[in-house]
Each structure stands twice: as C-alpha cells, then as structure tokens.
Amino acid sequence: MSNATIGVLGAGQLGRMLALAGYPLANRFVFLDTTGHPSAGIGDVMILDSKEEARRRQLDDFLAKVDLVTFEFEHLPLSLVREIETQKPVYPNSRALGVCQHRGEEKALFDRLNIPTPAYRLVDSAEALEIAARELGCPVVAKSVTEGYDGKGQSVLRGPAEAQKAWKEIGHSQLIVEAFVDFVREVSIIAVRGRNGEVVFYPMAENVHVDGILRYSLAPLPDLSDTVQQTAEDYIRALLNELDYVGVLALELFQTRDGGLLANEMAPRVHNSGHWSQNGAVTSQFENHLRAIQGLPLGDTRARMPTCMVNVIGQEGDLEALLALEDAHLHRYGKSERAGRKLGHVNLLAPDHEQLLERVAACAALLPEAPEPRFSFKP
C-alpha cells in the first residue's frame, strides 16, 4: 500500500507524531476524536458527536476518507472499533485492544503464555480488597481493571486497614491487586509485527517513573545482558503471535535482582518509552508502526547511540536553553501548561553513557518539574 490515507482513533500527541512520521511516506491522516478534547493539531480532525444520528454521519464520513484504521489511545469504546472493523482494516485488531483494556484479561493472557507477573488478585469489594492485601502482604498496589493511566485509578495500600479508603478513592467496581516487587529497575521492550508476521525488536529501555508518570527512558542499557533482552523478546513475541498483532506493541516489565523479568502491563500502540527512537534509532517506532500496518518492510531498530528521552511535564521550561544543549532534540505537543500534563519531550544523544547522563542532568535542570534523573547503572 502506498499513498494511503490512515484513520487514527484518538487525536493526541501520539497521533500527531504518527502523522509527522507518515508525511515523508506520502501518507495522509484523518483523526477521529472520542474525548471532545483533541490536541493533535495536524491533519483532518473530526470530533465524534454524542448524538446517534450525527455520530452515524460522522462515522460514515470518516470511513469514506480512509484506507485503513489504527489507534493512538486504547481507552476507546470497543464497540466502535468492532463496528469500524467490519468495514475497514483495523490494526492492531479489536481483540488486542479488548485484552489491553482490561487488566484482568491482560494478566490472564500473561498466565496462559507463561509470562511471569507479580502475584495478583481480582477483587470486587472493599472487603475483598482487604483480604487480598492480607494474602499478598502489604504494601500492595490496587488498580482499576479498566481505564486509568499515568498513575490515575490506582492506590498503594501500606496495610489492610487502608482498603476501605482505597476502594472509595479509586471508585471502580472491580480492582486488580498486585504484590510489590523487589525490582532493580523498570524496563520496557517495544516490538513491531508486520502484516506478514515479520517481527523486529527495539533495545530495551530503562524507565524512571515519578507519581506514576514516566519521566525518563534510556536505551540501550550498558549493563543489560543478551539473555535478558532475549527473554523479553520471547515474551513479547508470544503476545504478538497469540493476538495476531500488527503494529507496535509495548511491554512494561520489572527486572528483579536475580536478572529475571516480571510483566507489568502492555500497551497496544506507540509508547512513551519508545519516544527515544525518534532520534536515537535507525527507524523510529512511529515510522515502523506505519510501515507495519501498511504491509511495508519493517525498518532497522538498532540504536544509533545512547539516547535518553526526558518528558516535559507541567511547565515547558527554558526552550532556548533546551535547544542549546548538545545533540538535544525537542518535540513539543502544542499543549497549554497544566500541572501533570505531558507537554513534550526532549531526546538527548551522546557517544557514551557517561556523557549522556551529564546531558540528561543538564536538561533536567532546565525543566521546572523534572526530578533528579536516577538510573540503576553506573557508566
């Protein structure tokens, strides 16, 4: 497929970056926003009406304009995606989306494929939450089984007595409760599967979160063994094949002190922890997603040099000073400043990890809300 018009469900910064990667391929983009708050600022943006008759006309118009459909945001009405799937190719498919929308189904899939995870329980009441906290041993983290991201829809219980408060604060009818893991670091792997079954993998990244929001992703890792990379590739390949997946899939993991990996969750889309690839890899995750869904050959995923993505959260900071940093690449999303909001990111490159960490520290000093960058390795 060439010169394709791609429909994107969702109209946020991920869709924006997909379009920016697709224009050199002569792709065109039509975004269908279901939130009422689009921020892509690019392409043809349609806001889906809540009234059925208007919604039907809009959906027909959207489908008439596009050759195939993907999504940049998994919190979509599954019924809408299934409806679209009857008329146009949708990549990834609605089955993958459905699994990723429900943490219980996601964990069950991990179990079926022998992908280890932290111990967990599904609970449907405050009383059951208290029992699970006792069984698993506190602290535990309770999360809504649906929705929730960037730290939303979850709570840490330091003791079973906090169950009633946590249940009320989260406000969902079912929660998943997970045991805490004594991990060395949080890591992720991003893979891409083409329509012909071809699979490629990016080097694993180390991710640093603060208050549930990703702040730094660094790849490749200087102290990651080939065995650990291979294990992660085996896990994500199993998911890709089981779901007959097409496109980019991200799998977040905990690396334990013995070198093992425990799966946390997966995301059926281009992912924040893969933004480093825009400048640090031969082919970015965004271009490779578009290649995959169009049936084109997948691009080289090798890292050009050590790279770190720094999220810009809440306030944009000194933009001129950021741009003056050596080998710094600023990606702004065109959003207004607001506490906790992702406004953009900076990709920093360096010839070695020691220089990279120096540049990351210099970048963080220019961002008002950036925490001190702390990684698990020593250069």
Side-chain angles (χ1 to χ4, degrees):
M1 182 175 292
S2 61
N3 302 326
T5 298
I6 298 172
V8 181
L9 302 180
Q13 69 261 21
L14 297 179
R16 175 190 180 93
M17 288 183 276
L18 278 171
L20 290 171
Y23 286 145
L25 298 175
N27 292 141
R28 293 173 298 278
F29 292 84
V30 182
F31 298 93
L32 188 64
D33 173 71
T34 61
T35 68
H37 304 286
S39 63
I42 199 170
D44 182 0
V45 179
M46 305 171 64
I47 301 176
L48 197 62
D49 200 291
S50 59
K51 297 178 181 178
E52 180 59 31
E53 187 176 344
R55 173 189 172 280
R56 170 52 54 196
R57 289 196 301 269
Q58 287 177 320
L59 190 55
D60 288 344
D61 186 26
F62 172 75
L63 291 171
K65 291 180 177 180
V66 304
D67 298 305
L68 72 163
V69 177
T70 189
F71 44 87
E72 58 106 56
F73 180 66
E74 63 264 43
H75 300 298
L76 296 163
L78 193 57
S79 59
L80 172 66
V81 180
R82 287 172 173 163
E83 182 180 1
I84 292 172
E85 212 167 32
T86 65
Q87 301 182 62
K88 295 285 181 173
V90 178
Y91 303 111
N93 57 48
S94 61
R95 182 188 170 207
L97 179 64
V99 169
C100 292
Q101 283 185 344
H102 195 285
R103 289 187 171 93
E105 292 185 23
E106 184 179 75
K107 285 291 198 291
L109 178 60
F110 291 161
D111 290 343
R112 287 200 304 275
L113 296 177
N114 296 314
I115 299 172
T117 69
Y120 69 93
R121 302 283 190 277
L122 291 171
V123 300
D124 55 11
S125 68
E127 292 73 24
L129 174 56
E130 183 174 348
I131 292 170
R134 293 187 189 282
E135 290 178 348
L136 295 172
C138 287
V140 296
V141 60
K143 305 175 183 177
S144 59
V145 292
T146 59
E147 302 177 335
Y149 59 96
D150 287 346
K152 301 178 179 70
Q154 61 182 262
S155 179
V156 175
L157 281 70
R158 302 294 174 185
E162 297 178 6
Q164 289 284 347
K165 181 174 179 285
W167 179 265
K168 184 176 181 180
E169 286 178 349
I170 297 173
H172 279 253
S173 59
Q174 189 178 43
L175 307 180
I176 190 165
V177 189
E178 299 173 342
F180 259 62
V181 177
D182 182 22
F183 61 88
V184 174
R185 58 189 170 194
E186 295 177 79
V187 294
S188 60
I189 184 167
I190 288 175
V192 195
R193 186 173 184 267
R195 281 162 55 169
N196 64 354
E198 177 190 7
V199 179
V200 294
F201 308 94
Y202 285 89
M204 292 176 70
E206 178 172 354
N207 304 315
V208 177
H209 292 82
V210 178
D211 297 328
I213 300 177
L214 182 66
R215 304 307 302 246
Y216 304 98
S217 284
L218 188 150
L221 298 176
D223 60 344
L224 189 82
S225 71
D226 292 342
T227 300
V228 174
Q229 175 78 26
Q230 185 62 56
T231 298
E233 291 181 8
D234 291 344
Y235 291 163
I236 199 168
R237 185 193 294 273
L239 292 165
L240 292 166
N241 290 338
E242 171 66 21
L243 296 169
D244 193 21
Y245 194 96
V246 174
V248 164
L249 180 70
L251 178 62
E252 298 179 18
L253 307 120
F254 300 110
Q255 185 176 6
T256 57
R257 297 190 183 283
D258 62 1
L261 296 172
L262 296 175
N264 180 24
E265 58 186 28
M266 59 183 181
R269 53 174 170 77
V270 287
H271 194 255
N272 201 172
S273 71
H275 290 0
W276 68 269
S277 66
Q278 287 174 297
N279 305 101
V282 176
T283 311
S284 77
Q285 64 165 346
F286 298 98
E287 181 179 335
N288 255 337
H289 183 77
L290 296 172
R291 289 183 181 216
I293 66 176
Q294 293 177 90
L296 300 172
L298 301 183
D300 191 339
T301 56
R302 287 176 300 166
R304 295 181 183 276
M305 62 177 69
T307 307
C308 184
M309 185 280 304
V310 182
N311 263 337
V312 179
I313 309 290
Q315 300 179 60
E316 291 204 275
D318 189 336
L319 298 178
E320 290 189 9
L322 288 170
L323 289 169
L325 294 173
E326 186 173 0
D327 220 340
H329 306 268
L330 177 61
H331 300 262
R332 300 175 69 197
Y333 305 156
K335 294 182 176 182
S336 59
E337 294 184 340
R338 189 179 70 208
R341 193 181 202 190
K342 291 178 181 175
L343 304 175
H345 64 273
V346 183
N347 284 333
L348 300 156
L349 286 74
D352 57 56
H353 286 84
E354 183 174 6
Q355 292 183 67
L356 179 60
L357 293 187
E358 291 174 356
R359 292 176 186 180
V360 172
C363 178
L366 298 172
L367 296 171
E369 298 187 23
E372 182 182 352
R374 294 183 178 180
F375 296 95
S376 63
F377 63 87
K378 300 296 181 184

PDB file of all heavy atoms in Angstrom, residues 44-74:
ATOM      1  N   ASP A  44      -6.576  16.096   9.376  1.00  0.00           N
ATOM      2  CA  ASP A  44      -8.018  16.332   9.379  1.00  0.00           C
ATOM      3  C   ASP A  44      -8.574  15.752  10.676  1.00  0.00           C
ATOM      4  O   ASP A  44      -8.556  14.534  10.871  1.00  0.00           O
ATOM      5  CB  ASP A  44      -8.637  15.657   8.160  1.00  0.00           C
ATOM      6  CG  ASP A  44     -10.135  15.889   8.044  1.00  0.00           C
ATOM      7  OD1 ASP A  44     -10.714  16.572   8.911  1.00  0.00           O
ATOM      8  OD2 ASP A  44     -10.734  15.373   7.082  1.00  0.00           O
ATOM      9  N   VAL A  45      -9.047  16.601  11.580  1.00  0.00           N
ATOM     10  CA  VAL A  45      -9.523  16.147  12.886  1.00  0.00           C
ATOM     11  C   VAL A  45     -11.046  16.230  12.934  1.00  0.00           C
ATOM     12  O   VAL A  45     -11.639  17.285  12.681  1.00  0.00           O
ATOM     13  CB  VAL A  45      -8.915  16.984  14.026  1.00  0.00           C
ATOM     14  CG1 VAL A  45      -9.456  16.512  15.375  1.00  0.00           C
ATOM     15  CG2 VAL A  45      -7.391  16.887  14.008  1.00  0.00           C
ATOM     16  N   MET A  46     -11.688  15.107  13.263  1.00  0.00           N
ATOM     17  CA  MET A  46     -13.130  15.034  13.429  1.00  0.00           C
ATOM     18  C   MET A  46     -13.428  14.696  14.888  1.00  0.00           C
ATOM     19  O   MET A  46     -12.779  13.821  15.455  1.00  0.00           O
ATOM     20  CB  MET A  46     -13.726  13.963  12.512  1.00  0.00           C
ATOM     21  CG  MET A  46     -13.380  14.142  11.042  1.00  0.00           C
ATOM     22  SD  MET A  46     -13.886  12.721  10.019  1.00  0.00           S
ATOM     23  CE  MET A  46     -15.666  12.801  10.219  1.00  0.00           C
ATOM     24  N   ILE A  47     -14.397  15.383  15.471  1.00  0.00           N
ATOM     25  CA  ILE A  47     -14.798  15.124  16.857  1.00  0.00           C
ATOM     26  C   ILE A  47     -16.125  14.382  16.825  1.00  0.00           C
ATOM     27  O   ILE A  47     -17.125  14.907  16.323  1.00  0.00           O
ATOM     28  CB  ILE A  47     -14.910  16.426  17.666  1.00  0.00           C
ATOM     29  CG1 ILE A  47     -13.576  17.163  17.658  1.00  0.00           C
ATOM     30  CG2 ILE A  47     -15.346  16.116  19.099  1.00  0.00           C
ATOM     31  CD1 ILE A  47     -13.613  18.512  18.361  1.00  0.00           C
ATOM     32  N   LEU A  48     -16.134  13.164  17.344  1.00  0.00           N
ATOM     33  CA  LEU A  48     -17.316  12.317  17.268  1.00  0.00           C
ATOM     34  C   LEU A  48     -18.424  12.877  18.151  1.00  0.00           C
ATOM     35  O   LEU A  48     -18.230  13.120  19.346  1.00  0.00           O
ATOM     36  CB  LEU A  48     -16.966  10.889  17.693  1.00  0.00           C
ATOM     37  CG  LEU A  48     -17.968   9.795  17.305  1.00  0.00           C
ATOM     38  CD1 LEU A  48     -18.083   9.697  15.780  1.00  0.00           C
ATOM     39  CD2 LEU A  48     -17.523   8.451  17.871  1.00  0.00           C
ATOM     40  N   ASP A  49     -19.576  13.067  17.568  1.00  0.00           N
ATOM     41  CA  ASP A  49     -20.730  13.617  18.282  1.00  0.00           C
ATOM     42  C   ASP A  49     -21.344  12.554  19.186  1.00  0.00           C
ATOM     43  O   ASP A  49     -21.280  11.360  18.894  1.00  0.00           O
ATOM     44  CB  ASP A  49     -21.772  14.109  17.276  1.00  0.00           C
ATOM     45  CG  ASP A  49     -22.747  15.111  17.873  1.00  0.00           C
ATOM     46  OD1 ASP A  49     -23.558  14.704  18.725  1.00  0.00           O
ATOM     47  OD2 ASP A  49     -22.689  16.291  17.488  1.00  0.00           O
ATOM     48  N   SER A  50     -21.927  12.985  20.284  1.00  0.00           N
ATOM     49  CA  SER A  50     -22.574  12.045  21.207  1.00  0.00           C
ATOM     50  C   SER A  50     -23.968  11.638  20.741  1.00  0.00           C
ATOM     51  O   SER A  50     -24.498  10.620  21.185  1.00  0.00           O
ATOM     52  CB  SER A  50     -22.676  12.671  22.602  1.00  0.00           C
ATOM     53  OG  SER A  50     -23.423  13.878  22.557  1.00  0.00           O
ATOM     54  N   LYS A  51     -24.570  12.421  19.838  1.00  0.00           N
ATOM     55  CA  LYS A  51     -25.912  12.095  19.343  1.00  0.00           C
ATOM     56  C   LYS A  51     -25.822  11.061  18.231  1.00  0.00           C
ATOM     57  O   LYS A  51     -25.017  11.183  17.311  1.00  0.00           O
ATOM     58  CB  LYS A  51     -26.605  13.361  18.855  1.00  0.00           C
ATOM     59  CG  LYS A  51     -26.839  14.390  19.968  1.00  0.00           C
ATOM     60  CD  LYS A  51     -27.495  15.653  19.439  1.00  0.00           C
ATOM     61  CE  LYS A  51     -27.701  16.675  20.547  1.00  0.00           C
ATOM     62  NZ  LYS A  51     -28.292  17.943  20.043  1.00  0.00           N
ATOM     63  N   GLU A  52     -26.670  10.059  18.306  1.00  0.00           N
ATOM     64  CA  GLU A  52     -26.562   8.893  17.442  1.00  0.00           C
ATOM     65  C   GLU A  52     -26.618   9.242  15.955  1.00  0.00           C
ATOM     66  O   GLU A  52     -25.816   8.757  15.164  1.00  0.00           O
ATOM     67  CB  GLU A  52     -27.666   7.888  17.795  1.00  0.00           C
ATOM     68  CG  GLU A  52     -27.660   6.623  16.953  1.00  0.00           C
ATOM     69  CD  GLU A  52     -26.362   5.842  17.053  1.00  0.00           C
ATOM     70  OE1 GLU A  52     -25.711   5.886  18.115  1.00  0.00           O
ATOM     71  OE2 GLU A  52     -25.993   5.175  16.058  1.00  0.00           O
ATOM     72  N   GLU A  53     -27.570  10.075  15.553  1.00  0.00           N
ATOM     73  CA  GLU A  53     -27.719  10.372  14.131  1.00  0.00           C
ATOM     74  C   GLU A  53     -26.502  11.104  13.582  1.00  0.00           C
ATOM     75  O   GLU A  53     -25.971  10.757  12.517  1.00  0.00           O
ATOM     76  CB  GLU A  53     -28.984  11.207  13.910  1.00  0.00           C
ATOM     77  CG  GLU A  53     -29.304  11.429  12.439  1.00  0.00           C
ATOM     78  CD  GLU A  53     -30.617  12.169  12.218  1.00  0.00           C
ATOM     79  OE1 GLU A  53     -31.435  12.240  13.170  1.00  0.00           O
ATOM     80  OE2 GLU A  53     -30.826  12.688  11.102  1.00  0.00           O
ATOM     81  N   ALA A  54     -26.034  12.113  14.335  1.00  0.00           N
ATOM     82  CA  ALA A  54     -24.840  12.849  13.913  1.00  0.00           C
ATOM     83  C   ALA A  54     -23.610  11.946  13.934  1.00  0.00           C
ATOM     84  O   ALA A  54     -22.752  12.017  13.040  1.00  0.00           O
ATOM     85  CB  ALA A  54     -24.626  14.062  14.816  1.00  0.00           C
ATOM     86  N   ARG A  55     -23.529  11.100  14.962  1.00  0.00           N
ATOM     87  CA  ARG A  55     -22.407  10.169  15.088  1.00  0.00           C
ATOM     88  C   ARG A  55     -22.337   9.247  13.880  1.00  0.00           C
ATOM     89  O   ARG A  55     -21.252   8.985  13.344  1.00  0.00           O
ATOM     90  CB  ARG A  55     -22.567   9.362  16.376  1.00  0.00           C
ATOM     91  CG  ARG A  55     -21.573   8.225  16.563  1.00  0.00           C
ATOM     92  CD  ARG A  55     -21.969   7.370  17.743  1.00  0.00           C
ATOM     93  NE  ARG A  55     -21.174   6.163  17.855  1.00  0.00           N
ATOM     94  CZ  ARG A  55     -21.376   5.067  17.137  1.00  0.00           C
ATOM     95  NH1 ARG A  55     -22.339   5.049  16.231  1.00  0.00           N
ATOM     96  NH2 ARG A  55     -20.604   4.013  17.292  1.00  0.00           N
ATOM     97  N   ARG A  56     -23.496   8.747  13.437  1.00  0.00           N
ATOM     98  CA  ARG A  56     -23.523   7.842  12.287  1.00  0.00           C
ATOM     99  C   ARG A  56     -23.025   8.535  11.029  1.00  0.00           C
ATOM    100  O   ARG A  56     -22.233   7.964  10.272  1.00  0.00           O
ATOM    101  CB  ARG A  56     -24.965   7.336  12.104  1.00  0.00           C
ATOM    102  CG  ARG A  56     -25.252   6.557  10.825  1.00  0.00           C
ATOM    103  CD  ARG A  56     -24.301   5.421  10.599  1.00  0.00           C
ATOM    104  NE  ARG A  56     -24.229   4.530  11.736  1.00  0.00           N
ATOM    105  CZ  ARG A  56     -23.274   3.645  11.916  1.00  0.00           C
ATOM    106  NH1 ARG A  56     -22.269   3.582  11.044  1.00  0.00           N
ATOM    107  NH2 ARG A  56     -23.276   2.858  12.965  1.00  0.00           N
ATOM    108  N   ARG A  57     -23.458   9.765  10.805  1.00  0.00           N
ATOM    109  CA  ARG A  57     -22.990  10.504   9.622  1.00  0.00           C
ATOM    110  C   ARG A  57     -21.487  10.743   9.686  1.00  0.00           C
ATOM    111  O   ARG A  57     -20.783  10.601   8.687  1.00  0.00           O
ATOM    112  CB  ARG A  57     -23.721  11.847   9.509  1.00  0.00           C
ATOM    113  CG  ARG A  57     -25.184  11.741   9.120  1.00  0.00           C
ATOM    114  CD  ARG A  57     -25.710  13.092   8.641  1.00  0.00           C
ATOM    115  NE  ARG A  57     -25.570  14.115   9.669  1.00  0.00           N
ATOM    116  CZ  ARG A  57     -26.502  14.399  10.576  1.00  0.00           C
ATOM    117  NH1 ARG A  57     -27.636  13.721  10.581  1.00  0.00           N
ATOM    118  NH2 ARG A  57     -26.298  15.357  11.474  1.00  0.00           N
ATOM    119  N   GLN A  58     -21.007  11.126  10.863  1.00  0.00           N
ATOM    120  CA  GLN A  58     -19.568  11.376  11.018  1.00  0.00           C
ATOM    121  C   GLN A  58     -18.759  10.109  10.772  1.00  0.00           C
ATOM    122  O   GLN A  58     -17.715  10.152  10.108  1.00  0.00           O
ATOM    123  CB  GLN A  58     -19.285  11.909  12.423  1.00  0.00           C
ATOM    124  CG  GLN A  58     -19.722  13.339  12.648  1.00  0.00           C
ATOM    125  CD  GLN A  58     -19.473  13.765  14.083  1.00  0.00           C
ATOM    126  OE1 GLN A  58     -19.690  12.989  15.008  1.00  0.00           O
ATOM    127  NE2 GLN A  58     -19.015  14.990  14.266  1.00  0.00           N
ATOM    128  N   LEU A  59     -19.232   9.009  11.310  1.00  0.00           N
ATOM    129  CA  LEU A  59     -18.502   7.758  11.147  1.00  0.00           C
ATOM    130  C   LEU A  59     -18.475   7.335   9.684  1.00  0.00           C
ATOM    131  O   LEU A  59     -17.432   6.887   9.171  1.00  0.00           O
ATOM    132  CB  LEU A  59     -19.130   6.666  12.018  1.00  0.00           C
ATOM    133  CG  LEU A  59     -18.357   5.359  12.140  1.00  0.00           C
ATOM    134  CD1 LEU A  59     -16.945   5.620  12.638  1.00  0.00           C
ATOM    135  CD2 LEU A  59     -19.080   4.396  13.082  1.00  0.00           C
ATOM    136  N   ASP A  60     -19.590   7.489   8.988  1.00  0.00           N
ATOM    137  CA  ASP A  60     -19.623   7.175   7.558  1.00  0.00           C
ATOM    138  C   ASP A  60     -18.655   8.066   6.792  1.00  0.00           C
ATOM    139  O   ASP A  60     -17.947   7.598   5.877  1.00  0.00           O
ATOM    140  CB  ASP A  60     -21.045   7.358   7.015  1.00  0.00           C
ATOM    141  CG  ASP A  60     -22.006   6.278   7.492  1.00  0.00           C
ATOM    142  OD1 ASP A  60     -21.532   5.238   7.983  1.00  0.00           O
ATOM    143  OD2 ASP A  60     -23.230   6.482   7.370  1.00  0.00           O
ATOM    144  N   ASP A  61     -18.599   9.345   7.155  1.00  0.00           N
ATOM    145  CA  ASP A  61     -17.689  10.291   6.501  1.00  0.00           C
ATOM    146  C   ASP A  61     -16.232   9.902   6.763  1.00  0.00           C
ATOM    147  O   ASP A  61     -15.397   9.903   5.853  1.00  0.00           O
ATOM    148  CB  ASP A  61     -17.977  11.697   7.019  1.00  0.00           C
ATOM    149  CG  ASP A  61     -17.179  12.764   6.283  1.00  0.00           C
ATOM    150  OD1 ASP A  61     -16.804  12.535   5.122  1.00  0.00           O
ATOM    151  OD2 ASP A  61     -16.929  13.837   6.881  1.00  0.00           O
ATOM    152  N   PHE A  62     -15.941   9.555   8.018  1.00  0.00           N
ATOM    153  CA  PHE A  62     -14.587   9.128   8.391  1.00  0.00           C
ATOM    154  C   PHE A  62     -14.162   7.913   7.581  1.00  0.00           C
ATOM    155  O   PHE A  62     -13.077   7.884   6.985  1.00  0.00           O
ATOM    156  CB  PHE A  62     -14.561   8.824   9.892  1.00  0.00           C
ATOM    157  CG  PHE A  62     -13.300   8.200  10.401  1.00  0.00           C
ATOM    158  CD1 PHE A  62     -12.135   8.944  10.558  1.00  0.00           C
ATOM    159  CD2 PHE A  62     -13.265   6.851  10.747  1.00  0.00           C
ATOM    160  CE1 PHE A  62     -10.972   8.368  11.042  1.00  0.00           C
ATOM    161  CE2 PHE A  62     -12.111   6.267  11.235  1.00  0.00           C
ATOM    162  CZ  PHE A  62     -10.954   7.025  11.376  1.00  0.00           C
ATOM    163  N   LEU A  63     -15.026   6.908   7.526  1.00  0.00           N
ATOM    164  CA  LEU A  63     -14.683   5.666   6.834  1.00  0.00           C
ATOM    165  C   LEU A  63     -14.532   5.878   5.330  1.00  0.00           C
ATOM    166  O   LEU A  63     -13.728   5.202   4.677  1.00  0.00           O
ATOM    167  CB  LEU A  63     -15.733   4.605   7.121  1.00  0.00           C
ATOM    168  CG  LEU A  63     -15.754   4.083   8.568  1.00  0.00           C
ATOM    169  CD1 LEU A  63     -16.968   3.200   8.826  1.00  0.00           C
ATOM    170  CD2 LEU A  63     -14.469   3.316   8.877  1.00  0.00           C
ATOM    171  N   ALA A  64     -15.283   6.815   4.783  1.00  0.00           N
ATOM    172  CA  ALA A  64     -15.175   7.085   3.352  1.00  0.00           C
ATOM    173  C   ALA A  64     -13.848   7.734   2.997  1.00  0.00           C
ATOM    174  O   ALA A  64     -13.376   7.628   1.859  1.00  0.00           O
ATOM    175  CB  ALA A  64     -16.331   7.981   2.906  1.00  0.00           C
ATOM    176  N   LYS A  65     -13.236   8.392   3.961  1.00  0.00           N
ATOM    177  CA  LYS A  65     -11.994   9.122   3.701  1.00  0.00           C
ATOM    178  C   LYS A  65     -10.741   8.272   3.840  1.00  0.00           C
ATOM    179  O   LYS A  65      -9.676   8.666   3.359  1.00  0.00           O
ATOM    180  CB  LYS A  65     -11.877  10.307   4.668  1.00  0.00           C
ATOM    181  CG  LYS A  65     -12.879  11.420   4.437  1.00  0.00           C
ATOM    182  CD  LYS A  65     -12.670  12.533   5.468  1.00  0.00           C
ATOM    183  CE  LYS A  65     -13.601  13.707   5.235  1.00  0.00           C
ATOM    184  NZ  LYS A  65     -13.393  14.782   6.247  1.00  0.00           N
ATOM    185  N   VAL A  66     -10.803   7.135   4.558  1.00  0.00           N
ATOM    186  CA  VAL A  66      -9.585   6.422   4.951  1.00  0.00           C
ATOM    187  C   VAL A  66      -9.484   5.058   4.276  1.00  0.00           C
ATOM    188  O   VAL A  66     -10.492   4.460   3.877  1.00  0.00           O
ATOM    189  CB  VAL A  66      -9.507   6.262   6.485  1.00  0.00           C
ATOM    190  CG1 VAL A  66      -9.603   7.628   7.162  1.00  0.00           C
ATOM    191  CG2 VAL A  66     -10.590   5.327   7.014  1.00  0.00           C
ATOM    192  N   ASP A  67      -8.244   4.586   4.160  1.00  0.00           N
ATOM    193  CA  ASP A  67      -7.992   3.252   3.602  1.00  0.00           C
ATOM    194  C   ASP A  67      -7.879   2.190   4.682  1.00  0.00           C
ATOM    195  O   ASP A  67      -8.222   1.027   4.453  1.00  0.00           O
ATOM    196  CB  ASP A  67      -6.695   3.277   2.785  1.00  0.00           C
ATOM    197  CG  ASP A  67      -6.783   4.235   1.615  1.00  0.00           C
ATOM    198  OD1 ASP A  67      -7.717   4.087   0.804  1.00  0.00           O
ATOM    199  OD2 ASP A  67      -5.929   5.143   1.524  1.00  0.00           O
ATOM    200  N   LEU A  68      -7.378   2.560   5.828  1.00  0.00           N
ATOM    201  CA  LEU A  68      -7.219   1.646   6.964  1.00  0.00           C
ATOM    202  C   LEU A  68      -7.203   2.474   8.233  1.00  0.00           C
ATOM    203  O   LEU A  68      -7.075   3.702   8.186  1.00  0.00           O
ATOM    204  CB  LEU A  68      -5.973   0.781   6.853  1.00  0.00           C
ATOM    205  CG  LEU A  68      -4.606   1.438   7.061  1.00  0.00           C
ATOM    206  CD1 LEU A  68      -3.549   0.377   7.322  1.00  0.00           C
ATOM    207  CD2 LEU A  68      -4.196   2.261   5.853  1.00  0.00           C
ATOM    208  N   VAL A  69      -7.328   1.796   9.369  1.00  0.00           N
ATOM    209  CA  VAL A  69      -7.501   2.496  10.637  1.00  0.00           C
ATOM    210  C   VAL A  69      -6.545   1.933  11.673  1.00  0.00           C
ATOM    211  O   VAL A  69      -6.296   0.715  11.724  1.00  0.00           O
ATOM    212  CB  VAL A  69      -8.959   2.363  11.137  1.00  0.00           C
ATOM    213  CG1 VAL A  69      -9.131   3.034  12.510  1.00  0.00           C
ATOM    214  CG2 VAL A  69      -9.921   2.980  10.126  1.00  0.00           C
ATOM    215  N   THR A  70      -6.003   2.812  12.506  1.00  0.00           N
ATOM    216  CA  THR A  70      -5.219   2.419  13.671  1.00  0.00           C
ATOM    217  C   THR A  70      -5.677   3.290  14.833  1.00  0.00           C
ATOM    218  O   THR A  70      -6.628   4.062  14.692  1.00  0.00           O
ATOM    219  CB  THR A  70      -3.711   2.566  13.400  1.00  0.00           C
ATOM    220  OG1 THR A  70      -2.964   1.976  14.474  1.00  0.00           O
ATOM    221  CG2 THR A  70      -3.293   4.016  13.241  1.00  0.00           C
ATOM    222  N   PHE A  71      -5.031   3.151  15.978  1.00  0.00           N
ATOM    223  CA  PHE A  71      -5.402   3.996  17.117  1.00  0.00           C
ATOM    224  C   PHE A  71      -4.168   4.394  17.908  1.00  0.00           C
ATOM    225  O   PHE A  71      -3.163   3.686  17.930  1.00  0.00           O
ATOM    226  CB  PHE A  71      -6.449   3.328  18.021  1.00  0.00           C
ATOM    227  CG  PHE A  71      -6.207   1.877  18.332  1.00  0.00           C
ATOM    228  CD1 PHE A  71      -5.418   1.498  19.402  1.00  0.00           C
ATOM    229  CD2 PHE A  71      -6.792   0.894  17.559  1.00  0.00           C
ATOM    230  CE1 PHE A  71      -5.202   0.163  19.693  1.00  0.00           C
ATOM    231  CE2 PHE A  71      -6.581  -0.457  17.840  1.00  0.00           C
ATOM    232  CZ  PHE A  71      -5.789  -0.815  18.903  1.00  0.00           C
ATOM    233  N   GLU A  72      -4.261   5.557  18.549  1.00  0.00           N
ATOM    234  CA  GLU A  72      -3.141   6.076  19.333  1.00  0.00           C
ATOM    235  C   GLU A  72      -3.478   6.109  20.812  1.00  0.00           C
ATOM    236  O   GLU A  72      -2.703   6.624  21.608  1.00  0.00           O
ATOM    237  CB  GLU A  72      -2.751   7.477  18.849  1.00  0.00           C
ATOM    238  CG  GLU A  72      -3.861   8.509  18.892  1.00  0.00           C
ATOM    239  CD  GLU A  72      -3.739   9.518  20.010  1.00  0.00           C
ATOM    240  OE1 GLU A  72      -2.715  10.187  20.124  1.00  0.00           O
ATOM    241  OE2 GLU A  72      -4.701   9.629  20.787  1.00  0.00           O
ATOM    242  N   PHE A  73      -4.627   5.531  21.174  1.00  0.00           N
ATOM    243  CA  PHE A  73      -5.178   5.673  22.515  1.00  0.00           C
ATOM    244  C   PHE A  73      -6.072   4.471  22.749  1.00  0.00           C
ATOM    245  O   PHE A  73      -6.970   4.213  21.935  1.00  0.00           O
ATOM    246  CB  PHE A  73      -5.988   6.987  22.540  1.00  0.00           C
ATOM    247  CG  PHE A  73      -6.654   7.329  23.830  1.00  0.00           C
ATOM    248  CD1 PHE A  73      -5.914   7.626  24.949  1.00  0.00           C
ATOM    249  CD2 PHE A  73      -8.043   7.393  23.913  1.00  0.00           C
ATOM    250  CE1 PHE A  73      -6.539   7.978  26.148  1.00  0.00           C
ATOM    251  CE2 PHE A  73      -8.674   7.745  25.094  1.00  0.00           C
ATOM    252  CZ  PHE A  73      -7.908   8.031  26.221  1.00  0.00           C
ATOM    253  N   GLU A  74      -5.798   3.692  23.812  1.00  0.00           N
ATOM    254  CA  GLU A  74      -6.561   2.453  23.982  1.00  0.00           C
ATOM    255  C   GLU A  74      -7.876   2.604  24.718  1.00  0.00           C
ATOM    256  O   GLU A  74      -8.689   1.679  24.735  1.00  0.00           O
ATOM    257  CB  GLU A  74      -5.712   1.359  24.656  1.00  0.00           C
ATOM    258  CG  GLU A  74      -5.242   1.655  26.045  1.00  0.00           C
ATOM    259  CD  GLU A  74      -3.836   2.218  26.073  1.00  0.00           C
ATOM    260  OE1 GLU A  74      -3.534   3.088  25.228  1.00  0.00           O
ATOM    261  OE2 GLU A  74      -3.052   1.818  26.937  1.00  0.00           O
TER     262      GLU A  74
END
